[in-house]
Amino acid sequence: AAELEYESVLCVKPDVNVYRIPPRASNRGYRASDWKLDHPDWTGRLRVTSKGKTAYIKLEDKVSGELFAQAPIDQYPGIAVETVTDSSRYFVIRIQDGTGRSAFIGIGFTDRGDAFDFNVSLQDHFKWVKQETEISKESQEADTRPKLDLGFKEGQTIKLNIGNMTTKKGGAAKPRASGSGSLSLLPPPPGGKIAVPPIPPPSSTAIANHVTPPPVQKSSNASNEDVLLDLDAPASAPKAPASATTDLWGDFSTASSAVPNQAPQQSSWVQF
């Protein structure tokens, strides 16, 4: 993994001054006013690079690019880089060589904006390192947690309700009512027969419409036969009208029979 890591440049400042600093007299911090600010011990170029999670402050020659000193930084703020108490343009860094020896030197920028960029580049790098550490920690914790098995077991089933219709195995779905006022009938049971509704008894209206023939006096046999014929014939069928000739002679005979017998009138004619 270390071989695959590449070095990236975070910040480059062309002018930086290097100072030899006296030992710190107390725990209150370093003061730039104790240094010989008008006579820097070395002047060159500063580059801030990163490789993996470690940042490097490299002091290089302006012309040849030869490395003068470098300071590896594991955390910021920390002992590897400290600010002075009386200025924002000066810092104290801990440089190391390949043999393990280390020393503290002071660096300073003539422009305040260069000092600000140097400070921000280190802050952004270690903010990214902190986020990467938290993400890797969460991923490791997720791997160690027991995984939740959401798969179906053998023979396990689920039931789905689609709309308001529920069906059962081997049965039919219940019909939905067409409206709030409609009457819904239940279907017949499986394998059953539909019963024929019974014939309703005659209503009182039908009985009232039936015409009862008037009573007839039992005077003769002919009248009895007429009554029987009237009963057998349907009430709705009207009697066939008699012919005009029969009605005419019937009227005359009826009229003649209705006149009472009168005494014969006397006439002036002599009967022989």
Side-chain angles (χ1 to χ4, degrees):
E3 295 178 357
L4 297 176
E5 292 178 352
Y6 59 92
E7 186 178 22
S8 60
V9 178
L10 304 178
C11 180
V12 177
K13 294 301 175 182
D15 293 324
V16 63
N17 298 324
V18 177
Y19 303 92
R20 290 180 181 179
I21 61 175
R24 184 165 46 183
S26 62
N27 294 331
R28 65 180 183 179
Y30 294 98
R31 293 176 57 89
S33 59
D34 298 337
W35 308 344
K36 298 179 181 180
L37 300 179
D38 295 337
H39 304 282
D41 296 306
W42 185 84
T43 302
R45 180 180 65 186
L46 180 141
R47 283 198 311 140
V48 181
T49 63
S50 65
K51 188 174 183 180
K53 296 182 179 181
T54 305
Y56 297 91
I57 300 175
K58 295 184 178 183
L59 303 175
E60 300 171 345
D61 186 81
K62 292 182 179 181
V63 180
S64 63
E66 182 182 358
L67 180 64
F68 172 75
Q70 72 173 2
I73 305 171
D74 296 332
Q75 62 179 0
Y76 181 77
I79 193 174
V81 179
E82 297 182 36
T83 58
V84 297
T85 58
D86 56 347
S87 177
S88 61
R89 294 187 292 115
Y90 297 92
F91 302 86
V92 176
I93 64 174
R94 184 182 63 181
I95 60 175
Q96 293 179 352
D97 58 3
T99 61
R101 295 182 300 177
S102 62
F104 291 91
I105 62 174
I107 61 174
F109 302 94
T110 56
D111 186 37
R112 196 175 301 274
D114 294 342
F116 177 80
D117 295 340
F118 169 76
N119 189 17
V120 170
S121 63
L122 292 176
Q123 289 180 354
D124 291 345
H125 171 72
F126 286 99
K127 185 183 296 183
W128 170 82
V129 171
K130 183 179 179 180
Q131 293 176 353
E132 288 292 321
T133 304
E134 293 177 354
I135 292 173
S136 61
K137 184 179 180 181
E138 291 178 358
S139 62
Q140 291 177 0
E141 291 179 355
D143 294 339
T144 56
R145 293 173 186 171
K147 295 182 179 180
L148 183 61
D149 186 10
L150 300 178
F152 286 98
K153 305 299 186 296
E154 184 178 358
Q156 186 178 3
T157 59
I158 60 174
K159 182 180 179 181
L160 298 177
N161 293 331
I162 301 175
N164 295 326
M165 299 181 64
T166 58
T167 60
K168 295 182 179 180
K169 187 176 181 181
K174 295 182 180 180
R176 297 178 61 184
S178 59
S180 58
S182 62
L183 179 62
S184 60
L185 301 178
L186 295 176
K193 296 182 179 180
I194 301 176
V196 180
I199 300 175
S203 60
S204 59
T205 306
I207 296 175
N209 292 334
H210 180 72
V211 180
T212 306
V216 182
Q217 297 180 0
K218 299 180 181 180
S219 59
S220 61
N221 294 332
S223 61
N224 291 337
E225 293 177 359
D226 295 337
V227 172
L228 293 176
L229 292 175
D230 294 337
L231 290 176
D232 294 337
S236 61
K239 294 183 179 181
S243 60
T245 308
T246 307
D247 292 342
L248 181 59
W249 289 105
D251 293 340
F252 279 107
S253 59
T254 304
S256 61
S257 60
V259 178
N261 295 328
Q262 298 179 358
Q265 297 179 1
Q266 295 179 1
S267 68
S268 60
W269 295 95
V270 179
Q271 295 182 0
F272 292 97

